[in-house]
């Protein structure tokens, strides 16, 4: 699958605040993802790669460098309704930040891996609830925060 994500400068933003809900700049991210599923044994191998091209924040005259990310998953489907596996990602900033106040050749990177668990609950003849939990332990960070990431998702189809 190929996708093209476009990120708009939405959300509350004030250049004098340390933390903002929005990033106040445009970005474009082409992505390629692929999944292999062996239905006989329930083994799934998935990967997604993307490059984010960031544009300048006009309030600060600062531009974050372009970013590459790779997301991988190895999942064993134990039944139609339950799976376990491992997930991981790599993030590498390809070009340094630029603009007012940008450190010279400032590039970030981080790697992470951890377990995932998920399943499906039937909500009737045509609807299902999909639940997924992922935990990532980040390591080898450079010019980025490093820590533990917990992600929970719930999706309903109808």
């Amino acid at each position: 699958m190929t996708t093209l994500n476009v990120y708009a400068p939405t959300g509350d933003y004030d250049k004098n605040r340390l933390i903002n809900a929005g990033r106040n700049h445009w970005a474009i991210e082409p992505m390629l993802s692929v999944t292999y599923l062996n239905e006989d044994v329930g083994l799934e191998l998935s990967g997604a790669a993307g490059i984010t091209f960031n544009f300048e924040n006009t309030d600060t005259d600062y531009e974050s460098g372009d970013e590459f990310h790779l997301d991988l998953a190895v999942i064993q489907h134990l039944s139609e309704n339950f799976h376990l596996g491992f997930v991981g990602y790599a993030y590498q900033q390809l070009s340094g930040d630029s603009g007012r106040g940008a450190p010279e050749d400032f590039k970030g990177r981080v790697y992470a891996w951890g377990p995932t668990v998920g399943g499906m609950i039937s909500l009737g003849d045509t609807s299902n609830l999909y639940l997924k939990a992922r935990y990532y332990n980040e390591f080898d960070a450079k010019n980025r925060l490093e820590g533990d990431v917990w992600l929970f998702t719930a999706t309903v189809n109808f």
Side-chain angles (χ1 to χ4, degrees):
M1 178 172 67
T2 58
T3 58
L4 179 65
N5 299 314
V6 177
Y7 301 100
T10 59
D12 187 35
Y13 183 84
D14 179 343
K15 71 178 182 178
N16 297 313
R17 247 193 338 243
L18 182 61
I19 298 175
N20 285 284
R23 294 179 68 185
N24 201 46
H25 69 81
W26 288 90
I28 297 173
E29 179 187 47
M31 287 185 59
L32 174 65
S33 56
V34 63
T35 295
Y36 166 78
L37 175 61
N38 183 322
E39 293 184 27
D40 292 334
V41 297
L43 178 64
E44 176 185 336
L45 306 172
S46 294
I51 297 177
T52 306
F53 299 97
N54 292 298
F55 294 89
E56 183 178 296
N57 178 332
T58 55
D59 285 351
T60 61
D61 299 322
Y62 195 94
E63 185 175 331
S64 296
D66 298 332
E67 306 159 307
F68 171 79
H69 66 87
L70 175 66
D71 301 270
L72 300 170
V74 177
I75 295 172
Q76 180 63 50
H77 293 265
L78 301 172
S79 73
E80 274 189 25
N81 300 328
F82 183 71
H83 68 262
L84 293 170
F86 286 96
V87 290
Y89 61 81
Y91 164 88
Q92 175 68 53
Q93 192 171 335
L94 300 174
S95 58
D97 292 359
S98 61
R100 186 178 340 141
E104 188 173 325
D105 201 35
F106 184 85
K107 296 178 187 173
R109 85 161 175 248
V110 69
Y111 305 100
W113 72 279
T116 185
V117 60
M120 180 187 75
I121 300 169
S122 177
L123 299 177
D125 290 340
T126 59
S127 296
N128 295 301
L129 171 63
Y130 298 92
L131 301 170
K132 185 184 289 188
R134 292 173 280 167
Y135 165 76
Y136 295 97
N137 174 255
E138 293 183 323
F139 60 94
D140 201 23
K142 177 182 177 188
N143 295 326
R144 290 183 60 89
L145 296 175
E146 180 179 291
D148 297 317
V149 179
W150 288 90
L151 298 171
F152 301 96
T153 58
T155 307
V156 175
N157 75 314
F158 48 92

